[in-house]
């Protein structure tokens, strides 16, 4: 009996022990996206294609995409950090309500610091707004009024939607908030440019469009500027003085960017597939990623375009490489369909070989695809780049609108009409007024709202 | 004599109606993803006539549906389209108003002095080309802006004539 019980316990332990390990393994792995070597594709079309690719890759549950520096390209990755910041903030508020101001401050500062280091790419800053407000309250309660005002100014600079009032906060704290607001000073501007074209800029979570641009109505203080390319993210902070203009130039530098560019150059300069693993390993290590992915567009000997995606393992070796036919106009249905097929073969079927997929979706395992990508027996000629597509929204109007036609006034020229009304002076006056009035040159629009 | 007076009055009324501009009624609905209009910062109506570079109408509509019909410089017979834009308030930094900023759905600085200073273009409805000939009803549905599939302007016309 005792032996049976012991066996049960041992069995339970044996099965239970690996459970956390298994649960941990279920967490999606990080894949580092190196970028797209555009080959003969026009830069704008290449950015469009890369955006399409990254969007497609972000649809897989089995992994989460990061850039070469390890910044999240998949928003789902930010979820865990956001949950952590939220937890810390709630714990901080809880401690503050129990008058443990110092401990509360520690938790809130940690929450703010995690947000600043990992979450400034979010478009919703409510988390950090709440944490800053709670921090200011904790500072105020512990008698650090100057520090509390500084925290409130930091919060005000970020343009929060929240605003403490007499119903939510003590009168003293509301007065402090009002004083901080009064002392903010005149708004300034931030002139933002990116070293590489095609970067989308965000300031304090507010999407502002493609650089170069000037962000206006910036309150004095510290601001978070984020530049996003399809292949990566760059974050920086900028301090704006009252009524002044700050300039920011966003340029990706550092070991991760160098390794990324070097890996793309391996394809560009046909340095052979032996060189790729070296940089693949470096990127995987810098991005803390399990796998490295790289894309490329190449022209075949027959002049046809191909899209390649290569998957390298964490140690750098090439695990799989596939290719699909491509159009120069990358926004076609054919391209979208082929991108899906290529990704599905790599990440659903988990192909671990060299393969080609044709327009009909047929997959052929063939050697030489890796050679075509890295060592290149396929010629690359950037001078063959197709002409840029016509500007969107171009007008094809060829003729101006027809001139307005006059109303038919034949009736008024009838002799019998005048014979009838000739004696009536009033009628003549009315008819005269109507005849002299201009033809309608307008249309009325009446909008019925739901 | 009485009959003559009636005839004159009827004639005057008919002639007056002849000179009155046609009325185009826009029946606006909103899709499920669009919040109630009262929550918008601005509902802007644009009317553009085929082949003309200047807008025939660019005006904000009262969000409560009040207000008189708007008169646009659309000559009867002209081809035109109607574009309704729903803007929401945004907080924080903004960029000057431009077609690019609008297309990229950026937070735009608005200087009209009547609506919030920072706004973002979130919803739109667009008619097809229509001809201003007589009183007409155009049903439109306000939907979230899809940067990849913009509704306005409608496909260009090869000719603006009849």
């Amino acid at each position: 009996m005792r032996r049976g019980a012991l066996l049960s316990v041992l069995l339970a332990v044996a099965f239970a022990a690996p459970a956390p390990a298994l649960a941990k393994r279920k967490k999606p792995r990080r894949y580092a996206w190196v970028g797209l070597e555009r080959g003969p594709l026009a830069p704008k079309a290449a950015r469009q294609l890369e955006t399409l690719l990254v969007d497609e890759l972000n649809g897989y549950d089995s992994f989460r995409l990061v850039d070469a520096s390890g910044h999240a390209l998949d928003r789902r990755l930010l979820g865990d950090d956001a949950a952590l910041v939220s937890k810390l903030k709630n714990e901080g508020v809880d401690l503050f309500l129990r008058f443990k101001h110092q401990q509360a401050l520690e938790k809130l500062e940690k929450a703010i610091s995690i947000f600043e280091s990992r979450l400034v790419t979010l478009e919703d800053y409510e988390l950090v707004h709440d944490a800053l407000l709670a921090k200011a309250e904790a500072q105020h309660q512990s008698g650090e009024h100057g520090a509390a005002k500084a925290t409130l100014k930091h919060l005000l600079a970020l343009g929060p939607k929240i605003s403490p009032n007499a119903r939510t906060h003590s009168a003293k704290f509301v007065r402090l908030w009002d004083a901080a607001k009064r002392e903010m000073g005149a708004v300034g501007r931030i002139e933002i440019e990116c070293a590489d074209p095609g970067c989308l800029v965000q300031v304090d979570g507010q999407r502002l469009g493609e650089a170069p641009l000037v962000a206006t109505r910036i309150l004095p203080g510290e601001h978070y500027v984020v530049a996003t390319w399809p292949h990566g993210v760059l974050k920086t902070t900028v301090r704006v003085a009252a009524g002044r203009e700050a300039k920011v130039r966003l340029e990706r530098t550092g070991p991760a960017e160098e390794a990324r560019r070097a890996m793309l150059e391996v394809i560009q300069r046909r340095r052979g597939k032996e060189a790729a693993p070296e940089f693949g390993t470096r990127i995987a290590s810098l991005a803390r990623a399990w796998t490295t992915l790289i894309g490329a567009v190449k022209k075949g000997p027959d002049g046809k375009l191909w899209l390649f995606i290569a998957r390298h393992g964490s140690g750098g070796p090439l695990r799989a490489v596939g290719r699909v036919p491509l159009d120069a106009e990358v926004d076609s249905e054919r391209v979208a369909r082929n991108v899906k097929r290529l990704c599905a073969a790599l990440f659903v079927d988990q192909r671990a070989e060299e393969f080609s997929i044709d327009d009909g979706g047929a997959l052929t395992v063939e050697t030489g695809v890796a050679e075509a990508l890295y060592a290149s027996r396929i010629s690359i000629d950037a001078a063959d780049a197709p002409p840029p597509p016509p500007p969107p929204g171009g007008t094809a109007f060829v003729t101006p609108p027809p001139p307005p036609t006059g109303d038919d006034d034949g009736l008024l020229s009838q002799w019998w009409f005048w014979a009838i009304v000739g004696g009536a002076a009033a009628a003549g006056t009315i008819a005269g007024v109507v005849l002299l009035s201009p033809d309608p040159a307008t249309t009325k629009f009446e909008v019925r709202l739901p | 004599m009485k009959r003559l007076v009636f005839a004159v009055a009827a004639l005057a009324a008919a002639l007056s109606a002849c000179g009155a501009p046609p009325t185009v009624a826009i029946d606006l609905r909103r899709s499920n993803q669009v919040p109630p209009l009262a929550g918008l910062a601005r509902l802007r109506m644009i009317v553009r006539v085929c082949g003309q570079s200047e807008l025939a109408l660019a005006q904000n509509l009262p969000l409560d549906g009040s207000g008189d019909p708007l008169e646009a410089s659309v000559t009867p017979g002209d081809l035109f389209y109607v574009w309704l834009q729903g803007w929401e308030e945004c907080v924080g930094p903004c960029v000057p108003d431009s077609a690019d900023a609008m297309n990229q759905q950026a937070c735009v600085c608005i200087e009209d002095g009547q609506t919030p200073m920072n706004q973002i273009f979130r919803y739109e409805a667009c008619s097809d080309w229509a001809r201003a000939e007589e009183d007409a009803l155009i049903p439109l549905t306000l939907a979230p802006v899809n940067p990849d599939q913009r509704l306005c302007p409608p496909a260009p016309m090869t000719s603006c004539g009849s």
Side-chain angles (χ1 to χ4, degrees):
Chain A
M1 179 67 189
R2 197 178 287 174
R3 198 181 290 171
L6 184 65
L7 192 65
S8 314
V9 170
L10 282 174
L11 277 172
V13 170
F15 281 108
L22 283 172
K24 204 171 183 181
R25 217 177 290 161
K26 273 187 179 173
K27 198 175 170 185
R29 285 175 166 149
R30 289 158 64 98
Y31 282 17
W33 173 248
V34 176
L36 180 76
E37 201 325 275
R38 70 182 173 90
L41 215 56
K44 196 176 167 188
R47 283 200 295 275
Q48 223 176 325
L49 177 62
E50 195 174 355
T51 305
L52 178 75
L53 264 169
V54 170
D55 282 351
E56 182 62 27
L57 293 170
N58 282 340
Y60 286 89
D61 275 334
S62 51
F63 60 88
R64 300 283 184 267
L65 213 60
V66 295
D67 70 5
S69 308
H71 296 132
L73 289 177
D74 187 328
R75 298 251 150 185
R76 291 174 295 183
L77 261 177
L78 303 176
D80 291 346
D81 290 330
L84 175 62
V85 170
S86 179
K87 181 173 167 279
L88 286 165
K89 182 204 76 180
N90 291 339
E91 285 172 1
V93 171
D94 196 40
L95 286 163
F96 162 66
L97 292 173
R98 286 190 277 138
F99 303 104
K100 295 181 176 173
H101 297 139
Q102 203 47 47
Q103 285 166 280
L105 275 172
E106 278 167 23
K107 290 275 182 193
L108 292 166
E109 268 161 12
K110 198 169 174 192
I112 294 162
S113 143
I114 292 174
F115 186 93
E116 286 176 334
S117 60
R118 301 184 211 163
L119 294 173
V120 292
T121 53
L122 284 177
E123 284 179 32
D124 188 350
Y125 271 38
E126 208 177 308
L127 262 178
V128 77
H129 293 167
D130 289 349
L132 281 165
L133 187 60
K135 181 183 167 185
E137 278 183 271
Q139 287 169 323
H140 186 249
Q141 286 294 317
S142 54
E144 299 171 33
H145 299 298
K149 196 193 270 183
T151 306
L152 287 178
K153 283 182 179 175
H154 184 184
L155 171 61
L156 276 161
L158 299 178
K161 282 183 185 163
I162 46 170
S163 174
N165 56 58
R167 275 183 301 162
T168 56
H169 291 80
S170 69
K172 267 188 177 178
F173 189 73
V174 174
R175 275 202 297 277
L176 191 72
W177 169 260
D178 291 339
K181 250 164 106 174
R182 278 194 305 273
E183 290 171 21
M184 283 301 282
V187 291
R189 293 147 59 99
I190 311 176
E191 195 182 315
I192 304 163
E193 62 170 16
C194 292
D196 292 332
C199 85
L200 293 172
V201 172
Q202 191 177 302
V203 177
D204 300 337
Q206 197 64 257
R207 203 160 43 160
L208 295 180
E210 199 171 316
L213 56 84
V214 179
T216 57
R217 293 191 196 141
I218 305 285
L219 280 163
E222 196 167 71
H223 297 272
Y224 306 106
V225 180
V226 177
T228 310
W229 293 266
H231 61 262
V233 178
L234 183 61
K235 303 175 275 191
T236 188
T237 54
V238 58
R239 181 162 281 282
V240 176
R244 305 293 290 271
E245 179 171 296
K247 287 187 180 181
V248 188
R249 182 179 159 82
L250 295 151
E251 186 170 9
R252 287 169 64 91
T253 52
E257 180 60 14
E258 280 165 24
R260 191 186 81 80
R261 284 180 195 268
M263 194 160 176
L264 290 171
E265 270 179 27
V266 167
I267 297 173
Q268 223 172 42
R269 296 185 182 177
R270 303 172 230 178
R271 287 178 56 192
K273 63 182 171 184
E274 288 74 24
E278 179 195 334
F279 298 112
T281 313
R282 199 177 302 168
I283 290 170
S285 145
L286 290 165
R288 302 177 309 282
W290 180 261
T291 287
T292 311
L293 304 174
I294 188 165
V297 177
K298 294 210 158 199
K299 197 182 267 188
D302 52 0
K304 286 181 184 167
L305 287 177
W306 289 87
L307 167 68
F308 291 74
I309 296 182
R311 182 159 60 88
H312 289 263
S314 54
L318 183 65
R319 299 280 188 216
V321 56
R323 65 174 185 179
V324 283
L326 193 69
D327 290 331
E329 299 284 342
V330 295
D331 54 358
S332 70
E333 264 184 44
R334 178 196 182 210
V335 170
R337 194 175 53 235
N338 284 352
V339 163
K340 274 186 191 299
R341 282 174 177 155
L342 181 56
C343 292
L346 283 164
F347 308 113
V348 178
D349 300 346
Q350 294 286 324
R351 293 267 169 191
E353 56 215 344
E354 299 173 58
F355 60 88
S356 284
I357 300 174
D358 67 17
D359 276 323
L363 187 143
T364 315
V365 175
E366 58 184 21
T367 54
V369 180
E371 289 292 323
L373 176 65
Y374 286 123
S376 188
R377 285 179 192 156
I378 299 174
S379 63
I380 305 165
D381 188 357
D384 283 345
T395 175
F397 300 146
V398 287
T399 48
T405 54
D407 285 336
D408 183 9
D409 60 357
L411 181 64
L412 301 179
S413 62
Q414 301 299 317
W415 66 269
W416 48 265
F417 174 76
W418 290 109
I420 291 170
V421 299
T429 307
I430 294 167
V433 166
V434 171
L435 281 171
L436 286 172
S437 67
D439 291 329
T442 58
T443 299
K444 281 190 173 174
F445 287 86
E446 188 185 334
V447 184
R448 299 172 194 162
L449 300 186
Chain B
M1 186 60 192
K2 206 174 178 182
R3 197 177 285 180
L4 186 65
V5 170
F6 274 127
V8 168
L11 178 68
L15 286 170
S16 307
C18 235
T23 300
V24 174
I26 311 283
D27 189 17
L28 185 68
R29 287 152 204 276
R30 57 185 172 88
S31 74
N32 293 338
Q33 301 110 302
V34 177
L37 297 187
L40 295 180
R42 187 167 60 135
L43 182 62
R44 191 158 179 76
M45 179 165 160
I46 306 278
V47 177
R48 186 186 281 279
V49 172
C50 183
Q52 287 185 10
S53 55
E54 281 193 16
L55 296 176
L57 181 80
Q59 209 164 313
N60 297 340
L61 300 174
L63 292 167
D64 57 1
S66 63
D68 295 326
L70 305 167
E71 209 155 323
S73 329
V74 181
T75 307
D78 281 358
L79 271 176
F80 69 93
Y81 68 82
V82 178
W83 184 12
L84 283 162
Q85 304 170 347
W87 293 71
E88 276 183 348
E89 187 171 4
C90 47
V91 285
C94 56
V95 286
D97 197 0
S98 72
D100 268 357
M102 212 177 109
N103 287 337
Q104 291 177 7
Q105 287 198 276
C107 185
V108 172
C109 317
I110 301 293
E111 309 279 358
D112 62 9
Q114 291 161 352
T115 57
M117 289 171 82
N118 293 17
Q119 294 178 26
I120 191 161
F121 175 41
R122 287 273 192 230
Y123 312 101
E124 67 173 341
C126 191
S127 76
D128 204 346
W129 291 101
R131 196 172 290 282
E133 276 169 336
E134 53 195 31
D135 294 353
L137 176 72
I138 300 179
L140 290 180
T141 303
L142 202 63
V145 174
N146 178 354
D148 299 327
Q149 202 177 351
R150 294 297 306 279
L151 301 176
C152 248
M157 300 288 287
T158 49
S159 163
C160 295
S162 51

